[in-house]
Amino acid sequence: MSAAGFLLAALPAASVLLLTVAMRPRRTDTVAPLRLAVVRAALLTGAYAVLVVELLGALHALTRPAFVAAWLLFLLAAGTAAVLRQRQAAAQPQVAAPRSVPVGAAMTAGTGPATAAPVTDDIAPVQPDRVRANPLARAADAWRTAGRGERLLAGTIGGLVLVELLVALLAEPNNFDSQTYHLPKVEHWVAQGDLDFWPTAIHRQVTIPPGAEYLLLHLRLLTGGDALHNLVQWAAGIICLLAVARITAQLGGSRRAQLITAFVLASTPMVVLQATSTQTDLVCAAWVACAATLVLDGLRRRTGLGTLLGLGAATGLTAVTKTSGLIAVGPLLVLWGLAQLRLAVSARAEAGGARPVGPMARTVGGSVLILLVAATVVGPFMARVTAEFGHPLGPPRLRESIPMERHDPQSILVNALRIGHTAFDTPLAPLRRAGAEAIISGAQAIGVDPQDREITFGREIFPEPAWYPDEDRVAFPIAGALALIGAVVALTRPRRIDPGLAGPLRAYAVVVLVAVLLHTSMIKWQPWGNRLILYALVLAIPFAGLWLDAFFRRHATGGRGRRSVATMTAIAVLATSALAGVLSLSYGFPRRLVGDGSVFTTSDWDTRFLRRPQWTDEFRWAATAVRDSGAQRIGLVQQNDNWEYPWWLLLRHTDGRSPDLVALQSVLPERPPADPTSVDAIVCTGSQPACAKLVPAGWRLEFRGYVGYALPPGR
């Protein structure tokens, strides 16, 4: 990547930093205000990035100059807002700031949501920022007052994040799905200059929501390549860590509880591996977590316009990234709506029984605004899908392959048990076999085929080992178990965690439980299903920190024996979690620090093919032959799960222009494929017979393993 590309790629990062300054909350009782500012900045930047793609795509202007201009404009606006915010803070009179109160501190289980009058974000008393310490000073003070255990937790989190950044920068994108459809769709947009659908044999290139790929498109046009593509998921991982730590604080968690929460999530193998990938699950989880922390703010006070816009942006970004994330966002918004209605009723009681027409109407209006903002973000894509396939969720092939097709209680139970078995898988093979056999026997006993295609994706067979640190499959038994125990405690005995926050704890636990139940009743089991439920794990992780902190706190006040038990438990649990994270980062697949395939010892091109190293020379061989022939217009022959992205790299023009690649097959009824006689050469992957059927008579067809090419006479 050139120096110019690096500087241009810094524009989005600089904008987020300036927006973080500009969007600091004015209320001094805000929980974790800096983290909230980061969440707000991320949501605004994400929504802006999506809308820029949609607008410039509609104008057929997906070009580097247009994107540079868009980011310079955004940077200017963010800088102006930051300056105005600083001036506003400096102009405020100095007033002593009240002590920060966690979400729901005035709430009790079984009573109204607050004993004091509800207030609104936008009209709450404004306190000066000068009474708050500088963020760097506050961080230094926190480090100085932290115990050794807290410092170790924070240092481990920071170390994991920094090493992940190193891997993300050193490793070329090599995720399997990215080779098939995530990155090819980005290249199609660049080549076309717009977002129109194209003929393709890989329907996922046009039917799967493209939110994460929209973000990749910005980096692709700003830098001219994919060197920084892994940073999108890495940044999403940072947002997840900040959001779950804030959620823990909102639920009354101490600094130690927040650190434990972030530590458990940061060391979860799925998070470690996806943070250096071009997958999309961590991006989806980040938007869901942003929605969750904004919803929790709405449990204790009326929501202002800024938060409503943020909730709308989080909902829209989730929908345009991965619609399965809405399984969690939906219940979260229901919780928000109920809390706002209860605050309206409380306002009515304090007004002497007057009808709260205003507060009630405000809640309804806020809900409508959230949906309108979400529709603005995801609506253009859904409109294109509806126009193409007659349904907002795409063709029947997509709607029937992933969602459950049976919803009887027995089938849902079997599906949930299989998903749980895969999520909690361990290297202990006897335990895996025993659990799988029990599930299979139980399913047959209640009349359900455990391999039923209506509850099982494709031709996959349960069970499938998922303990190995692979970015698409790896289980999370430690984080999952800790979160599960914490959620059960929050549901059944929330006062053990925090007596003053029993209501919010139980309400949030119900939302997480509902999301998990909805997921298991709506999404078929599949071997890589662990990454699909990552958003639910992120939502549940705060319970791990809250429960562990409460456990340590209770036992630390007992006798020497109880303190020793607590200490040994803490060391065992957290050390095991840390070991899982370190091993995943060191030996995880397909990006690792040591061993075969290390990012330090493996060449750029070989890194791209770590999933299928035998294809490396085959792609190069075919691409060299096609380039040497002087072909300009090149036909593609491939199947639904074949790799297309290498062709975009190998056949790119020397001046950086995209190659002219056209599909000779199409699963889109309204998008006919190109005529094989209209191209100068053909490249094929997968099936040689399928390729041979499309090669014109008289052409020379060569095939080597997985890859082939065909040239007309004379070339």
Side-chain angles (χ1 to χ4, degrees), residues 33 39 54 103 118 151 157 198 260 318 324 327 360 367 370 395 415 418 487 537 542 583 613 637 679 687 694 711:
V39 167
E54 291 289 358
V103 167
R151 290 184 179 183
I157 295 168
W198 53 89
I260 292 174
T318 301
S324 58
I327 294 173
M360 294 287 285
S367 302
I370 291 172
N415 194 54
R418 295 183 305 166
L537 176 68
L583 289 177
V637 178
V679 300
S687 170
L694 292 170
L711 295 173

Side-chain angles (χ1 to χ4, degrees), residues 46-57:
Y48 178 78
V50 169
L51 294 177
V52 163
V53 171
E54 291 289 358
L55 176 60
L56 294 180

Side-chain angles (χ1 to χ4, degrees), residues 680-704:
D680 303 323
I682 296 174
V683 290
C684 310
T685 51
S687 170
Q688 181 174 354
C691 181
K693 290 180 181 179
L694 292 170
V695 174
W699 285 39
R700 175 170 56 92
L701 174 62
E702 300 284 347
F703 230 90
R704 182 181 293 179

Side-chain angles (χ1 to χ4, degrees), residues 10 56 161 258 337 419 559 573:
L56 294 180
V161 168
Q258 297 170 49
I419 290 175
V573 171

Side-chain angles (χ1 to χ4, degrees), residues 67 346 593:
F67 273 66
S346 178
L593 291 174

